[in-house]
Amino acid sequence: MDYRNILIRATNWVGDAVMCVPALRAIRERFPAAHIAILAKPSVADLYARESFIDEVIPYGARSFADKCRFAWSLRGRHFDCAILLQNAFEAAVIATLAGIPNRIGYHRDGRGALLTRAVDVPRRGEIPRHERFYYLELLRRAGIIDRLPDSDAIRLDPPPIERVRRIGVSPGAAYGTAKRWLPERFAQAAGLLAEQRNASIALFGSKSERALCEQIAGILNGHAVTNYAGETTLAQFIDLAASCEIFLTNDSGAMHIASALGVPTVAIFGATDDVGTGPTGAHTCVVREPVDCSPCLLRECPIDHRCMTRVSAERVAHEALKLIE
């Protein structure tokens, strides 16, 4: 098995895209001379475009069935000899098949087994470590691409050549639902405490839909030097700005995965979701959570009193942040 021209179908969400990085690095180490192209949605393409283990990013935004077929046929001229499907969708296997790629590797799920030349059984609960990065690595191991899971327990993104400044990064949103969100006034209080301790400015990050949330926090932080970047940056710009922060406060979100993978000291507040499965990795991270009977519930909205988040104090989060950077 000596592939020379590899197409990898990336996952669609930023957090998942970051958790795929160890698998992508493992593919590069196994095939150091190969041309490796990532097929990615525009929403995550900037994440991969800056990484040294990737040769090319192919943006994929086809929506109609006809456009998807035309796109797949356009790949035929690229003569890829292997497709590794990190995305679980049936569509990923269809695109690779229509593109005429002779070796198609992916998990046997979503009814796509017949379209794969190497259909890998999905790991059962308890067969692999719980963190999601191992799900993608195990695909490679079961497919015979790697012999074992790597020793490193951290996800790494190539850091941009940017110096850190006295800035507190805050990402108060979360795409999955409000159950994952710590209280905005607590984010403001914790950021304010850190800004005073560190003589630092504060940068607020989020999507366009989270602009109002960040404006609410900025209003509470009246008197501090605050910049609201929510809805105003591309993914590439966010990565550069996050890399320049000396500490990052966040919920369980794509921003959390990026900041921690860049090596930025990151404090993540968890409640509804499972930090063992999707938490930040590396020595410069800290998960803050309050152990309550109903957590992690994995619900989008809390049906009771959101106790997993309301019981986490701003002072506790600020204290954990200072421990990471002092």
Side-chain angles (χ1 to χ4, degrees):
M1 178 170 54
D2 188 23
Y3 302 129
R4 294 290 180 180
N5 194 15
I6 302 171
L7 180 70
I8 302 172
R9 177 61 169 98
T11 52
N12 291 340
W13 295 95
V14 171
D16 293 338
V18 176
M19 289 187 283
C20 287
V21 166
L24 297 174
R25 289 190 182 277
I27 294 168
R28 169 54 73 197
E29 290 173 8
R30 173 62 181 82
F31 303 105
H35 179 86
I36 298 178
I38 291 276
L39 183 64
K41 293 279 191 181
S43 57
V44 298
D46 282 349
L47 175 73
Y48 295 122
R50 53 189 302 283
E51 295 301 312
S52 58
F53 51 82
I54 299 300
D55 295 304
E56 178 188 9
V57 175
I58 302 174
Y60 173 64
R63 294 188 177 183
S64 71
F65 178 74
D67 286 345
K68 291 173 183 179
C69 290
R70 281 191 289 269
F71 179 83
W73 278 92
S74 74
L75 294 176
R76 282 182 168 258
R78 299 293 305 273
H79 304 293
F80 290 106
D81 53 17
C82 177
I84 300 174
L85 309 180
L86 300 182
Q87 189 201 27
N88 293 317
F90 179 81
E91 177 194 292
V94 172
I95 296 296
T97 302
L98 292 178
I101 302 174
N103 299 286
R104 302 180 296 279
I105 300 166
Y107 276 125
H108 192 325
R109 55 180 302 169
D110 283 34
R112 65 185 190 174
L115 298 176
L116 302 174
T117 60
R118 181 69 174 91
V120 175
D121 289 338
V122 177
R124 296 189 195 130
R125 182 183 292 272
E127 286 187 334
I128 60 174
R130 279 172 57 188
H131 198 276
E132 192 170 335
R133 68 188 186 277
F134 294 108
Y135 176 80
Y136 304 109
L137 287 163
E138 183 68 3
L139 170 64
L140 306 183
R141 193 188 70 79
R142 295 189 179 198
I145 294 173
I146 60 175
D147 296 327
R148 59 184 179 85
L149 300 180
D151 297 328
S152 173
D153 66 349
I155 301 172
R156 294 182 297 109
L157 290 172
D158 292 342
I162 291 173
E163 292 186 8
R164 288 199 183 148
V165 297
R166 294 256 171 168
R167 177 187 294 142
I168 314 300
V170 179
S171 179
Y176 183 76
T178 61
K180 291 173 66 173
R181 294 181 180 180
W182 195 37
L183 284 67
E185 58 270 25
R186 303 274 176 90
F187 268 117
Q189 187 179 356
L193 289 170
L194 289 171
E196 291 170 4
Q197 287 277 338
R198 303 294 297 174
N199 190 26
S201 63
I202 299 168
L204 303 175
F205 299 102
S207 64
K208 186 176 180 180
S209 65
E210 293 163 348
R211 179 80 185 177
L213 172 64
C214 289
E215 286 177 350
Q216 178 187 354
I217 293 172
I220 300 171
L221 285 165
N222 184 31
H224 291 278
V226 181
T227 304
N228 184 0
Y229 291 104
E232 295 186 352
T233 66
T234 64
L235 180 56
Q237 290 168 335
F238 166 72
I239 291 171
D240 287 345
L241 288 166
S244 71
C245 294
E246 72 167 5
I247 188 72
F248 206 90
L249 310 180
T250 177
N251 298 308
D252 175 14
S253 64
M256 174 199 74
H257 289 290
I258 289 173
S260 60
L262 289 169
V264 177
T266 301
V267 179
I269 302 96
F270 270 74
T273 49
D274 178 16
D275 61 286
V276 177
T278 61
T281 67
H284 302 293
T285 64
C286 173
V287 169
V288 175
R289 72 175 310 139
E290 183 67 22
V292 295
D293 291 342
C294 52
S295 173
C297 64
L298 306 182
L299 297 176
R300 289 181 180 270
E301 310 295 335
C302 179
I304 49 173
D305 57 4
H306 212 193
R307 63 190 64 175
C308 63
M309 288 299 196
T310 58
R311 294 182 186 180
V312 176
S313 70
E315 291 82 5
R316 178 180 170 189
V317 169
H319 175 71
E320 295 297 338
L322 288 170
K323 283 167 57 178
L324 286 179
I325 57 180
E326 290 183 341

